Amino acid sequence: MASLTQFNLAEAIAVLTRTPATLNALLRGLPNIWVRCNEVKDTWSAFDIVRHLIFGERTDWMPRVLIMLENGEARPFDPFDRFKQLKESQDKSLEQLLDDFARLRRENLAALQALNLQHEDLTRRGRHPALGVVTLSELLATWAVHDLTHVHQLSRVMAHQYRDAVGPWSAFLGVLRCTGHSAP
Amino acid sequence: MASLTQFNLAEAIAVLTRTPATLNALLRGLPNIWVRCNEVKDTWSAFDIVRHLIFGERTDWMPRVLIMLENGEARPFDPFDRFKQLKESQDKSLEQLLDDFARLRRENLAALQALNLQHEDLTRRGRHPALGVVTLSELLATWAVHDLTHVHQLSRVMAHQYRDAVGPWSAFLGVLRCTGHSAP
């Protein structure tokens, strides 16, 4: 299995552990232009992205690990509703959201480590409602890369606010030419 | 001047102040796969990106601010050699580089604030060796967006290391479809 040879649980946990502090350092206390503004209509601000990450901690990653370990391919994961979280936590400050995310991630990583997964467990299989059969290592790798895809998005959404302010330097600033890479 | 209406010095400084702590939270202590690996030949690892940011603090941003304030359009900026830094700091650890970057950024922001720039100063003009006439507000906005473009790049280079490990989820992870947006 090609994907397994590249996956290492400790390495994935190293990324997952750092994301709350990274977002905290990047976002806490920033003026509203950086955290409340988005790109175009119906795209996400930094606020929305942190709420999305919180929703994933609550409903997606560890719940799917447990469904996979308990049911294998017999029970598909519950679909992940990427828009439901936008109706939740509307009245929280960014500081509260960052605190919530840090706490939930800490609890989830403690639960993951309590499973004491062995190398052979990483090939355990489950069923994704759209993608079909997936492995535990693929799910855990995706959890880490999902963090990175939202760091990627955050930097792009923030840079977008100064797309005109940089004047002719926009030619040299790759992030301003990124149009996003959402799934079709 | 359209670009000036969007620029606010305090907002730009808010981003510039946070970047060292963001990189520190994201990178310090990570296993080598995340910080020593790049995408393809001749692209940058996290190590190279931090060295590039250090080089910018030493030779680019504040030196250009001072050239602009002292000489206006009469003296073009010195060209920024993006490859020279790759010959420097080869033997430093990532932790040393992160400390160097944090110290240099702190010193440069102190020097910037000591200039006590007024709103009218932001329209002062200088000459970029390739882009022609630019304003002080454009230079300062670019300094902040340049940080963000490298956060964008860092998340992409890191995610690339797990491009196979995520299996079929790669279809949903935008950062894995980003091919970079370097200037032509």
Side-chain angles (χ1 to χ4, degrees):
Chain A
M1 182 172 296
S3 63
L4 185 55
T5 59
Q6 299 198 349
F7 179 80
N8 174 298
L9 182 58
E11 287 170 355
I13 289 175
V15 169
L16 291 164
T17 303
R18 283 163 175 76
T19 306
T22 302
L23 299 189
N24 195 66
L26 180 66
L27 298 175
R28 186 177 293 259
L30 274 183
N32 275 345
I33 182 179
W34 303 120
V35 295
R36 285 288 191 183
C37 297
N38 62 3
E39 291 162 302
V40 294
K41 188 168 178 291
D42 293 333
T43 60
W44 289 354
S45 67
F47 245 81
D48 299 325
I49 293 167
V50 178
R51 284 194 285 144
H52 167 74
L53 289 167
I54 287 171
F55 195 68
E57 292 304 303
R58 288 213 171 101
T59 70
D60 190 341
W61 307 108
M62 280 305 293
R64 288 182 169 192
V65 168
L66 298 177
I67 290 172
M68 185 180 272
L69 291 176
E70 288 165 16
N71 304 275
E73 299 171 51
R75 179 188 157 190
F77 307 143
D78 301 326
F80 182 45
D81 182 347
R82 291 189 301 146
F83 300 98
K84 189 174 173 195
Q85 83 260 2
L86 299 183
K87 302 175 200 122
E88 297 186 0
S89 318
Q90 291 278 17
D91 54 344
K92 289 201 173 182
S93 69
L94 185 63
E95 285 62 32
Q96 288 173 310
L97 295 176
L98 289 166
D99 289 343
D100 286 353
F101 176 54
R103 177 179 49 77
L104 289 163
R105 174 59 59 86
R106 197 165 50 239
E107 291 169 1
N108 280 329
L109 289 181
L112 176 66
Q113 292 187 295
L115 292 173
N116 191 26
L117 294 173
Q118 303 301 306
H119 185 72
E120 57 270 25
D121 293 323
L122 298 175
T123 58
R124 300 275 291 269
R125 292 151 71 101
R127 184 172 299 278
H128 186 282
L131 298 172
V133 174
V134 290
T135 67
L136 182 55
S137 76
E138 290 167 348
L139 173 60
L140 295 171
T142 300
W143 191 4
V145 176
H146 181 264
D147 279 6
L148 295 170
T149 212
H150 287 293
V151 171
H152 193 75
Q153 181 187 23
L154 270 170
S155 62
R156 187 186 75 233
V157 174
M158 290 174 67
H160 182 79
Q161 312 312 321
Y162 267 18
R163 64 197 179 284
D164 294 328
V166 299
W169 266 289
S170 62
F172 295 161
L173 294 162
V175 68
L176 294 176
R177 284 194 298 285
C178 183
T179 54
H181 318 275
S182 295
Chain B
M1 182 171 298
S3 63
L4 185 54
T5 59
Q6 298 198 349
F7 179 81
N8 174 297
L9 183 58
E11 287 171 353
I13 289 174
V15 169
L16 290 165
T17 303
R18 282 162 175 77
T19 306
T22 302
L23 299 188
N24 195 65
L26 180 66
L27 299 175
R28 187 177 293 259
L30 273 183
N32 275 344
I33 182 178
W34 302 120
V35 296
R36 286 288 191 182
C37 298
N38 62 3
E39 292 162 301
V40 293
K41 189 169 178 291
D42 294 334
T43 61
W44 288 354
S45 67
F47 245 81
D48 299 325
I49 293 167
V50 178
R51 285 195 283 145
H52 167 74
L53 288 167
I54 287 172
F55 195 68
E57 293 303 303
R58 288 214 171 101
T59 69
D60 190 341
W61 307 108
M62 280 305 293
R64 288 182 169 190
V65 168
L66 298 178
I67 289 171
M68 185 181 271
L69 291 176
E70 289 167 14
N71 303 276
E73 299 172 51
R75 179 188 158 189
F77 306 144
D78 301 326
F80 182 44
D81 182 346
R82 290 190 300 147
F83 299 98
K84 189 174 173 195
Q85 84 261 1
L86 299 183
K87 300 173 200 124
E88 296 185 0
S89 317
Q90 292 277 19
D91 55 344
K92 289 201 174 183
S93 69
L94 185 64
E95 285 63 31
Q96 288 173 310
L97 295 176
L98 290 166
D99 289 343
D100 286 352
F101 177 54
R103 178 179 49 77
L104 289 164
R105 174 59 59 88
R106 197 164 50 240
E107 291 170 2
N108 279 330
L109 290 180
L112 176 66
Q113 292 185 295
L115 292 174
N116 191 26
L117 294 173
Q118 304 301 307
H119 185 72
E120 57 270 25
D121 293 322
L122 298 175
T123 58
R124 299 276 291 269
R125 293 152 70 103
R127 185 171 298 277
H128 185 283
L131 299 172
V133 173
V134 290
T135 67
L136 182 56
S137 75
E138 289 167 347
L139 174 60
L140 295 171
T142 299
W143 191 3
V145 176
H146 181 264
D147 280 6
L148 296 170
T149 212
H150 287 293
V151 171
H152 193 75
Q153 180 187 24
L154 270 171
S155 63
R156 187 185 75 233
V157 175
M158 290 174 66
H160 181 79
Q161 311 312 320
Y162 267 16
R163 65 197 178 283
D164 294 328
V166 300
W169 266 289
S170 61
F172 295 162
L173 294 162
V175 68
L176 295 176
R177 284 194 297 285
C178 183
T179 54
H181 318 275
S182 295

